[in-house]
Amino acid sequence: MAVRPGLWPALLGIVLAAWLRGSGAQQSATVANPVPGASPDLLPHFLVEPGDVYIVKNKPVLLVCKAMPATQIFFKCNGEWVRQVDHVIERSTDGSSGLPTMEVRINVSRQQVEKVFGLEEYWCQCVAWSSSGTTKSQKAYIRIAYLRKNFEQEPLAKEVSLEQGIVLPCRPPEGIPPAEVEWLRNEDLVDPSLDPNVYITREHSLVVRQARLADTANYTCVAKNIVARRRSASAAVIVYVDGSWSPWSKWSACGLDCTHWRSRECSDPAPRNGGEECQGADLDTRNCTSDLCVHTASGPEDVALYVGLIAVAVCLVLLLLVLVLVYCRKKEGLDSDVADSSILTSGFQPVSIKPSKADNPHLLTIQPDLSTTTTTYQGSLCARQDGPSPKFQLTNGHLLSPLGGGRHTLHHSSPTSEAEDFVSRLSTQNYFRSLPRGTSNMAYGTFNFLGGRLMIPNTGISLLIPPDAIPRGKIYEIYLTLHKPEDVRLPLAGCQTLLSPIVSCGPPGVLLTRPVILTMDHCGEPSPDSWSLRLKKQSCEGSWEDVLHLGEEAPSHLYYCQLEASACYVFTEQLGRFALVGEALSVAAAKRLKLLLFAPLACTSLEYNIRVYCLHDTHDALKEVVQLEKQLGGQLIQEPRILHFKDSYHNLRLSIHDVPSSLWKSKLLVSYQEIPFYHIWNGTQQYLHCTFTLERVSPSTSDLACKVWVWQVEGDGQSFNINFNITKDTRFAELLALESEGGVPALVGPSAFKIPFLIRQKIISSLDPPCSRGADWRTLAQKLHLDSHLSFFASKPSPTAMILNLWEARHFPNGNLSQLAAAVAGLGQPDAGLFTVSEAEC
């Protein structure tokens, strides 16, 4: 039925009113609303519908609708009609059917999309009219495209053995549309279709099924969408090969000395890329019994010679047995717990931590014969990788040599001249191949039941060996070692981060009858709501295990930890390698970073470098950087600052400002430098720093005034105001003067403790028994603010000894004995009964 032209406006008004009176529900697909009685064949149908689009940066997007037959088309965006003036309309007539065709276009800007708040997305839909009714197009969603800069997870460097699997995780930055991920190997695209040994998971991790030597490379995760292309930090993957012995050669001919030999080589395969050397000897010799040897040894002269040698050997053995019997008889009845009674006159006074002198009457001193009584360890203590479980063979001798009538001094090993020999002896065992070869990060000593203390100076790391922790009758040679994170493979999962140094004490497996206390710094901000803290220990097979979950300790457990603001005190009855690891429970979890600014002590060129270090706030990290800067000829130019770095996935930024352009010129080409979040958060990378290079306009320029800013994006920040003379000013150098921490790394016997030995024993015997008046060890723990550990103390044979041991570990060498004495005296125990010793007890 034809419609006269004059009726079109009326019909359109009726149709529009009918559409507006409808339900108003918006559908994603095309929806038709015919006029009652009209022909459905003349309803508009869309030739072109708007589709989903992305706004890139600030460029508007174009939406197009085309329908036939159509007399009007309008766009509706998020429920509101678009103004008519914003439509660009083109009308035409279809050549084959003669029906009216209409095409409409609109532009949508970024500002329009950003005005929509909440969960609703911005959408547009076009509505077309004809004489038969209306038709709605599908909804087109308009989104602002972006790609953040920071990867949610970057690949980390790995060292793997040949044919071992490799998994490099990668979580690309958040983006719309979601980023596509590809991998680069030494800047070449990794194509899994060309290499069946490689594939990429749905989570974008790169997996190498079996590592080959050719897989040693730098791997980079690349994320891209229509907005940008981002690159992760490169991860160095090293595929190493452990050496293996070739078959033994044939035995050589029997020599004149009645021995023959065979050899083998470490070449099947040879170690590569840092793999382990072969273990064992490459040459094997043994006696042979060939006819030649038997014949040459059958002469009368040779027989007489052998008989004489055997007789001499028998005489030597008998003489040795006689000496041993005499020695044992002299030793019988001698009490090994010998004390110089002069210590009892000193009362409850501090004991000097310096090495004992002959004229010092206040030291409990004993001298063992270390040449014959030291407990020795034979065989491999611990293997680096999987292998049979190692065993100890202990040869026990007497604890003390015969004592004369004079004073005796307990030996301790501290001179540097002995350190190289000690390290070389340890290095012959498999377990100790990863120990540092230098002595600045190691302490060692020889200890017996009197106990002692090991310290690594200027690191905050120490090991307290309480009295009776070592069984009576035994002497142990004990070491304490600080490891560099890059030298020890400590796997960290998820959001875990290393909070403490990695420390070894050993040898592992020695028998201890009391817990020792390992002290080390940490850089976490303790908060039970923000952190899940775990103590990790490395097994002999090389794997790391969670041996303690802080806050969930069992009283009878082998391990316990007292966590304080910047240090942790670990009770352990098993020596080994330890580290404190934290996992963030919320974005409030923070690590303390120490910010240090260094510059050259002497500047001989126009260029001047300012190095900004971002370290864990621990003594060992500070010591490493100070030693490094001494080698570089650097000086501290500002007082160190603390920055709280949160688990927010945001990077750390550094910038320099207000550099006087008339005197200096900055060579920084960007507005700021950036350290990726994961480089800081995992805690395994040392010496993280950025360098700002300035250039003097004239060689005579010596005054420098500028600002250095360090901040975490959307987090904490610090500002340094630099104003000094680069040729004269050294006022900050004294801030980092390393202290001696007691002078010697090994203290043995009473000199290692603040509390005199016999007074300690009287306190223990007085406070261990329960007391109805409350004057026992529980009240002492409360006075020392240790009452949260009562269940742990109660699980030990002597709770008071545990409290005093912890006090010694926390307050050495500067503890206030007067405060401890006041706490003990305040329990209601008679003062004289605890702090004085009678002549009869001497």
Side-chain angles (χ1 to χ4, degrees), residues 493-777:
C495 299
Q496 287 185 339
T497 176
L498 180 63
L499 296 177
S500 75
I502 301 174
V503 179
S504 289
C505 53
V510 296
L511 175 64
L512 297 174
T513 57
R514 300 284 189 277
V516 298
I517 302 179
L518 175 64
T519 303
M520 53 188 178
D521 288 350
H522 70 84
C523 64
E525 282 293 302
S527 171
D529 300 329
S530 302
W531 286 104
S532 172
L533 301 175
R534 298 175 187 272
L535 181 70
K536 286 183 175 286
K537 181 176 183 287
Q538 190 176 30
S539 67
C540 288
E541 290 76 22
S543 61
W544 286 85
E545 303 170 349
D546 293 338
V547 295
L548 181 63
H549 188 183
L550 273 66
E552 300 180 5
E553 301 94 339
S556 59
H557 204 277
L558 291 174
Y559 308 93
Y560 200 83
C561 182
Q562 156 78 0
L563 186 71
E564 299 188 353
S566 59
C568 58
Y569 303 89
V570 178
F571 290 81
T572 175
E573 297 180 26
Q574 294 183 353
L575 303 183
R577 184 171 296 165
F578 297 93
L580 183 67
V581 170
E583 183 171 3
L585 300 179
S586 70
V587 293
K591 298 172 66 172
R592 295 188 314 276
L593 299 184
K594 178 161 285 188
L595 307 178
L596 303 171
L597 271 63
F598 282 90
L601 185 61
C603 184
T604 58
S605 65
L606 295 178
E607 283 192 355
Y608 190 75
N609 294 323
I610 298 177
R611 294 180 289 276
V612 184
Y613 289 88
C614 307
L615 314 172
H616 282 178
D617 183 23
T618 57
H619 286 86
D620 62 289
L622 177 63
K623 173 185 176 181
E624 293 292 332
V625 168
V626 170
Q627 292 179 342
L628 174 65
E629 281 294 330
K630 283 184 177 180
Q631 297 174 1
L632 297 176
Q635 65 167 332
L636 189 70
I637 62 172
Q638 275 289 303
E639 187 173 347
R641 302 280 181 85
I642 298 297
L643 182 143
H644 293 87
F645 190 79
K646 292 187 176 182
D647 181 23
S648 62
Y649 296 101
H650 289 298
N651 295 346
L652 190 71
R653 291 181 177 175
L654 305 93
S655 61
I656 189 167
H657 305 272
D658 300 340
V659 179
S661 57
S662 60
L663 301 175
W664 297 86
K665 181 174 66 175
S666 173
K667 290 194 170 184
L668 186 65
L669 301 179
V670 293
S671 58
Y672 59 84
Q673 299 188 63
E674 199 167 48
I675 300 178
F677 169 81
Y678 282 99
H679 288 187
I680 298 175
W681 192 252
N682 64 18
T684 59
Q685 300 195 31
Q686 287 190 312
Y687 313 137
L688 286 175
H689 72 281
C690 289
T691 300
F692 295 100
T693 301
L694 306 177
E695 185 175 356
R696 293 185 285 180
V697 175
S698 168
S700 61
T701 300
S702 58
D703 292 324
L704 174 61
C706 62
K707 293 181 180 179
V708 172
W709 293 350
V710 184
W711 76 101
Q712 185 181 17
V713 179
E714 300 182 11
D716 192 15
Q718 291 287 358
S719 174
F720 295 87
N721 294 317
I722 299 174
N723 190 351
F724 77 114
N725 187 296
I726 66 173
T727 60
K728 302 177 182 178
D729 204 337
T730 59
R731 64 181 183 272
F732 297 105
E734 303 156 353
L735 295 175
L736 295 184
L738 297 180
E739 299 178 357
S740 62
E741 289 189 355
V744 292
L747 297 171
V748 180
S751 63
F753 304 98
K754 297 284 290 182
I755 307 172
F757 180 77
L758 292 184
I759 290 180
R760 168 192 166 94
Q761 296 303 104
K762 289 185 68 69
I763 295 174
I764 292 173
S765 61
S766 299
L767 299 185
D768 269 352
C771 180
S772 59
R773 297 172 300 166
D776 59 12
W777 63 269

Side-chain angles (χ1 to χ4, degrees), residues 132 154 194 279 340 398 406 585 601 617 644 693 717 775 814:
S132 298
E154 291 185 292
L194 301 178
Q279 305 299 315
D340 187 335
H398 295 289
L585 300 179
L601 185 61
D617 183 23
H644 293 87
T693 301
N814 301 316

